[in-house]
Amino acid sequence: MRFVDMHVHLDLMTNGVEVARAAQDLGMGLFCTTVTPNDAVAARERFSCCPNVRVGAGLHPWWLADGTCGDADIELLKGLVAHSRYVGEVGLDAGKRGAASLELQTAAFERIMRAVSEHPLQGRVISIHAIRSVNRVLDILERSGAIATSSCILHWFSGSSDELWRAVHLGCLFSINEHMLATKRGREYARILPDDRLLLETDAPPQLNAPYELTALEHSLQATLNHVADLRHTDPNSLGTSIAARSAQLLDFEA
């Protein structure tokens, strides 16, 4: 594959199937991360016609923080992840939108990760949100055993340097987007991360439940790749080939 977007909310694009089919024609794979378990169920059906799409079973911490989702949704997601090779978006947010509900989020994330650990699947991939909460996320991944049974991806990483290296030592991968590269810290992380931990993502779309364009995804992925290659003083074509192959293997696509 030419590109694999390792974190994109394809189901929140009103023309998501059209985008996915166009992406297939261009040799692009998509990891569709969902924000509620009901969305995950619907997305699996919606994109069943798209062989270049993998749908994650997710419960975004913001949807817990604002009360949109509750205990019934956590239980539904536990049931889904027990049989899901792809999980995401899940995690914790201790920023402005989530700090007040951090303990609720923590309890939910631990329950979900324990379900993952209790039902191991070969090749399971988890895309994780961790805003101002990386150590807490890593604690749960270790305590639940999920880190040992899954490929855990920290998406749009913004933690401290100590948290970065702890995550590296635990075996985490990192999906990098243009937003991450807009900060000095994010650029430094993209420069120093081990080669075999690098992935690309867009976290698109910026506006939910509206149409989107494949060209915007392609442009964002290419811009991110070029910037990362420049930071690492390496050839973008060779770097892109290795990242695409790694991503395709994670999502069980033909490279």
Side-chain angles (χ1 to χ4, degrees):
M1 282 191 163
R2 180 164 163 257
F3 281 123
V4 181
D5 189 338
M6 291 298 294
H7 190 105
V8 58
H9 296 286
L10 187 67
D11 64 311
L12 297 179
M13 302 174 189
T14 54
N15 61 337
V17 171
E18 176 186 331
V19 170
R21 286 174 170 162
Q24 173 75 11
D25 291 341
L26 290 180
M28 289 176 58
L30 306 166
F31 185 8
C32 173
T33 52
T34 60
V35 296
T36 76
N38 284 317
D39 285 356
V41 172
R44 285 179 177 178
E45 176 63 25
R46 183 181 172 195
F47 296 107
S48 61
C49 60
C50 303
N52 63 320
V53 176
R54 300 289 183 261
V55 175
L59 179 50
H60 197 295
W62 289 353
W63 273 251
L64 286 170
D66 68 8
T68 299
C69 293
D71 193 69
D73 299 281
I74 298 167
E75 287 300 311
L76 175 56
L77 186 63
K78 285 173 57 182
L80 290 176
V81 301
H83 306 286
S84 298
R85 181 172 168 184
Y86 308 106
V87 179
E89 177 172 4
V90 294
L92 302 177
D93 193 305
K96 291 181 180 179
R97 293 184 64 167
S101 64
L102 185 58
E103 295 309 316
L104 169 66
Q105 296 174 44
T106 299
F109 185 56
E110 181 133 23
R111 288 163 65 184
I112 295 162
M113 290 302 99
R114 289 198 179 279
V116 163
S117 185
E118 290 165 5
H119 301 276
L121 291 174
Q122 185 175 2
R124 181 179 271 131
V125 179
I126 309 173
S127 185
I128 301 170
H129 179 113
I131 298 298
R132 298 185 181 177
S133 56
V134 176
N135 275 329
R136 188 178 287 229
V137 162
L138 297 177
D139 287 345
I140 292 171
L141 293 177
E142 283 195 283
R143 188 162 59 240
S144 67
I147 193 71
T149 63
S150 307
S151 294
C152 295
I153 304 168
L154 295 176
H155 116 86
W156 188 350
F157 185 85
S158 60
S160 70
S161 179
D162 286 346
E163 290 170 330
L164 178 86
W165 292 117
R166 181 185 175 196
V168 168
H169 293 148
L170 286 173
C172 293
L173 297 102
F174 300 80
S175 53
I176 297 171
N177 60 30
E178 288 186 283
H179 307 291
M180 181 174 167
L181 297 177
T183 68
K184 182 178 180 180
R185 176 186 288 183
R187 291 190 293 273
E188 178 62 8
Y189 291 165
R191 185 183 72 83
I192 64 176
L193 276 167
D195 288 346
D196 62 354
R197 306 304 175 86
L198 295 173
L199 305 168
L200 301 177
E201 63 155 85
T202 63
D203 200 25
Q207 182 181 354
L208 306 185
N209 300 311
Y212 204 63
E213 296 293 334
L214 176 65
T215 53
L217 291 182
E218 184 182 20
H219 179 271
S220 180
L221 292 168
Q222 186 68 61
T224 300
L225 173 62
N226 290 344
H227 199 165
V228 172
D230 184 60
L231 290 166
R232 299 171 73 90
H233 303 292
T234 192
D235 174 59
N237 292 325
S238 59
L239 180 63
T241 297
S242 66
I243 291 175
R246 183 177 311 114
S247 303
Q249 183 176 31
L250 284 167
L251 298 184
D252 198 25
F253 292 136
E254 290 186 9

